[in-house]
């Protein structure tokens, strides 16, 4: 599961980071706003790179609306949770199979939140990929699916896979993790020549080998009616858990 995420970098940092990988730039640069915490159930904007325009970054509401539901997205969302797509069945589920074939995307992020259960209590943990330049978390890209809602208006979902050893300790109840792609597989995920067998293999083995860190954050993240888009929601708190 991945129901909340961060993208704290400014536009220039993101475009610089993508140089040599995809060389993508924001199509609507003045619209972009960084965030510390985006709750997927708010259906706010993620930022995606699409198969057919790998040189551009577009905003996309979180929660894929399939083609057959675009006439009434709100009714679809009341019945279906498509914030995540389980890798093992994206070619079988009606909500995802068309996008899995020809509407794959990359989703920008520099952190995400997962629940760790300790003594019956859910403790949110912030997961990030430290680097020399960005010890607080470098940019990475989720594998995702998207669909058009209207002209230049999109919806998207994050693909999840079975957790590796590290994330099985973090997300110790459901043992899932979002698919963060290895840099050398980014273009493959967007390649319209990939068949179903090749894509299944990529999802099974394509998780990045760059190390992640995770630390507990305040349980205020779970409270309703407060603004969670602030630095304190990614800052570590002492709960006695170690990752």
């Amino acid at each position: 599961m991945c129901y909340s995420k961060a993208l704290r970098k400014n536009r220039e940092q993101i475009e610089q980071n993508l140089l040599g990988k995809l060389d993508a730039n924001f199509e609507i640069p003045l619209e972009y706003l960084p965030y510390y915490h985006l709750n997927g159930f708010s259906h706010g904007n993620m930022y995606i790179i699409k198969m057919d325009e790998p040189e551009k970054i577009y905003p996309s509401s979180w929660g894929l609306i399939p083609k057959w539901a675009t006439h009434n997205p709100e009714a679809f969302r009341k019945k279906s949770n498509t914030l995540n797509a389980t890798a093992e069945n994206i070619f079988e589920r009606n909500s995802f199979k068309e996008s899995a074939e020809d509407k794959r995307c990359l989703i920008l992020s520099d952190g995400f939140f997962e629940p760790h259960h300790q003594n019956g209590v859910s403790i949110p943990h912030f997961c990030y990929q430290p680097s020399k330049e960005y010890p607080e978390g470098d940019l990475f890209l989720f594998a995702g699916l998207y669909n058009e809602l209207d002209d230049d208006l999109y919806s998207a979902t994050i693909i999840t896979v079975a957790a590796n050893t590290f994330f099985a300790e973090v997300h110790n109840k459901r043992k899932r993790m979002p698919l963060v792609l290895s840099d050398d597989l980014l273009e493959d995920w967007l390649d319209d020549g990939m068949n179903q067998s090749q894509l299944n293999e990529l999802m099974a083995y394509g998780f990045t080998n760059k190390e992640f860190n995770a630390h507990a954050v305040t349980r205020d993240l779970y409270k309703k009616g407060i603004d969670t888009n602030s630095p304190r929601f990614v800052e570590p708190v002492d709960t006695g858990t170690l990752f």
Side-chain angles (χ1 to χ4, degrees):
M1 297 187 330
C2 179
Y3 291 163
S4 52
K5 63 183 290 293
L7 186 57
R8 296 160 289 167
K9 289 169 181 53
N10 62 40
R11 178 175 59 84
E12 292 78 10
Q13 288 172 318
I14 289 172
E15 292 179 346
Q16 180 65 31
N17 189 290
L18 290 173
L19 288 175
K21 298 176 185 177
L22 294 163
D23 297 344
N25 295 291
F26 284 88
E27 179 67 4
I28 314 171
L30 294 179
E31 185 270 353
Y32 173 69
L33 290 173
Y35 49 82
Y36 291 92
H37 175 252
L38 174 65
N39 183 339
F41 291 99
S42 72
H43 305 297
N45 278 340
M46 303 192 291
Y47 290 87
I48 70 170
I49 298 170
K50 306 186 293 130
M51 283 178 67
D52 59 343
E53 293 183 278
E55 74 286 355
K56 296 180 180 180
I57 301 168
Y58 284 98
S60 176
S61 64
W62 194 348
L64 188 142
I65 307 297
K67 183 178 180 180
W68 47 266
T70 54
H71 66 287
N72 195 341
E74 294 308 314
F76 175 80
R77 282 177 170 151
K78 287 180 180 179
K79 296 180 179 179
S80 303
N81 174 1
T82 55
L83 301 180
N84 293 168
T86 303
E88 294 84 346
N89 63 19
I90 60 171
F91 290 103
E92 284 74 49
R93 282 196 60 184
N94 286 337
S95 295
F96 301 135
K97 61 184 182 181
E98 182 175 337
S99 292
E101 292 174 357
D102 61 10
K103 291 185 174 64
R104 299 184 299 277
C105 66
L106 300 167
I107 299 170
L108 281 64
S109 184
D110 61 9
F112 58 96
F113 299 80
E114 294 285 12
H116 176 78
H117 289 82
Q118 182 179 331
N119 300 322
V121 177
S122 177
I123 302 170
H125 278 64
F126 183 63
C127 308
Y128 60 100
Q129 199 175 70
S131 67
K132 185 176 180 180
E133 185 176 4
Y134 296 109
E136 77 287 355
D138 212 335
L139 184 74
F140 55 82
L141 296 160
F142 295 123
L145 309 175
Y146 78 95
N147 189 44
E148 298 92 346
L149 291 173
D150 205 339
D151 292 341
D152 292 339
L153 184 63
Y154 306 99
S155 65
T157 183
I158 295 172
I159 289 181
T160 68
V161 295
N164 60 19
T165 302
F166 177 79
F167 281 106
E169 290 293 322
V170 179
H171 194 187
N172 58 341
K173 193 170 184 179
R174 295 291 295 276
K175 298 186 186 298
R176 300 287 295 180
M177 64 183 183
L179 178 52
V180 178
L181 284 173
S182 177
D183 287 349
D184 62 339
L185 296 175
L186 301 177
E187 290 185 355
D188 289 342
W189 181 249
L190 300 181
D191 185 352
D192 61 6
M194 295 282 281
N195 61 39
Q196 183 173 329
S197 176
Q198 291 170 320
L199 290 167
N200 281 331
E201 185 174 3
L202 187 155
M203 289 186 289
Y205 301 106
F207 192 84
T208 180
N209 59 8
K210 294 180 181 178
E211 289 188 3
F212 270 85
N213 284 353
H215 59 245
V217 296
T218 175
R219 294 190 75 246
D220 288 351
L221 194 77
Y222 295 151
K223 291 181 178 179
K224 295 182 179 180
I226 63 173
D227 182 8
T228 57
N229 186 21
S230 74
R232 82 177 184 94
F233 289 94
V234 300
E235 293 172 355
V237 298
D238 184 11
T239 63
T241 59
L242 295 174
F243 293 106

